[in-house]
Amino acid sequence: MSNYQNITLQTDQNTLILTINRPDKLNALNTQTLAEIKEAVYAAQSQKDVYGIIITGAGEKAFVAGADISEFKDFNIEEGKILAGSGHEIFNLIERSEKPIIAAVNGFALGGGCELAMACHLRVASENARFGQPEVNLGIIPGYGGTQRLIQLIGKTKALELLMTADMIKAPQALDLGLVNYVVPQEELIAKSQEISQKIYSKSPKAIAKIIKCVNAYFDGPTDGFEFEIEAFGSCCNTPDFIEGTSAFIEKRKADFDR
Ligand code: COA
């Protein structure tokens, strides 16, 4: 590919600045744009002069206003699964990048835009940024990891509220919730993101890569804890301890477990 239509790339102080460039569509993510992001992030992993990436949106209004609705509005179940699957693959690539990736959120970060920002390692927002997962308005749910990463970043209580109400929140609230690391005036957005990047570049790149891996590993355990619990509960039944414990209760005596 490399002849990008919907993104621009610029390297500055060893940072690849990847700008999603469809401002007339508020930088909505269509298939082509997703493919270009994937290629650029993948290529950056082996580019020696690139130490990290900043992802931002063109214009002053939007980071990314979501997946491109016009593209998937007639999708059937199989097509929907393929779209979500490819989005997961690309956002996982970002989350697992060995080089730090910062989202410089310069406006609306809605739906797939909020999901893209959440897949990045850090988020710096401009004062006019707005965050939200408005998918339920469209009769769908987030399909690029949003249901999971939102809980990871802000906890179940507020995640459920934002996911179920489709509310859009402003940058200061996103900061209070821990959804973003910093809020700055729009004209300082890239400079602040660069400042953080440069600080990270002064550390051991191997250690940074391991930090990213370890932090991601925290969430990679048994993926379905409830299913894991059901299995674990079942495996306790009919064991000597189970028989002794339940018998002791019924016989109104203290259980005597084997050591
Ligand atoms: N997909 C496709 N096109 C989109 C888009 C999206 N997610 N978000 C915005 N656009 C397009 C609009 O259709 C419009 O195109 P047009 O000029 O050819 O008609 C253009 O971007 C500008 O958007 P517009 O709605 O006119 O701007 P606004 O300032 O009135 O509203 C938003 C801004 C962000 C509130 C509004 O665009 C919006 O709600 N977008 C959809 C958000 C969403 O549901 N995202 C999740 C998708 S899964």
Side-chain angles (χ1 to χ4, degrees), residues 24-26 28 61 65-69 72 108 110-111 134-135 138:
D24 53 326
K25 295 293 177 193
L26 303 188
K61 190 168 169 184
D68 191 321
I69 298 167
F72 67 78
F108 289 115
L110 303 175
E135 286 85 351
L138 303 168

Side-chain angles (χ1 to χ4, degrees), residues 34-155:
L34 281 171
E36 292 183 11
I37 294 171
K38 180 181 178 183
E39 182 174 320
V41 170
Y42 185 75
Q45 301 303 310
S46 55
Q47 286 164 0
K48 287 218 173 323
D49 61 326
V50 171
Y51 298 175
I53 304 173
I54 291 174
I55 300 181
T56 193
E60 295 180 351
K61 190 168 169 184
F63 172 67
V64 167
D68 191 321
I69 298 167
S70 66
E71 223 180 39
F72 67 78
K73 66 179 178 37
D74 299 321
F75 271 11
N76 60 30
I77 292 174
E78 272 317 304
E79 290 167 323
K81 277 193 199 171
I82 291 168
L83 179 79
S86 80
H88 273 252
E89 192 193 327
I90 297 162
F91 288 12
N92 285 341
L93 175 72
I94 291 171
E95 187 170 57
R96 294 171 191 164
S97 163
E98 296 203 339
K99 301 182 180 184
I101 305 187
I102 297 180
V105 182
N106 56 306
F108 289 115
L110 303 175
C114 190
E115 292 173 294
L116 172 61
M118 292 194 292
C120 295
H121 302 126
L122 301 174
R123 283 151 293 284
V124 182
S126 59
E127 287 164 342
N128 67 324
R130 301 279 183 277
F131 295 82
Q133 297 288 163
E135 286 85 351
V136 290
N137 289 329
L138 303 168
I140 50 170
I141 64 165
Y144 297 161
T147 63
Q148 305 304 295
R149 292 197 178 96
L150 195 59
I151 300 168
Q152 293 172 0
L153 294 176
I154 69 171

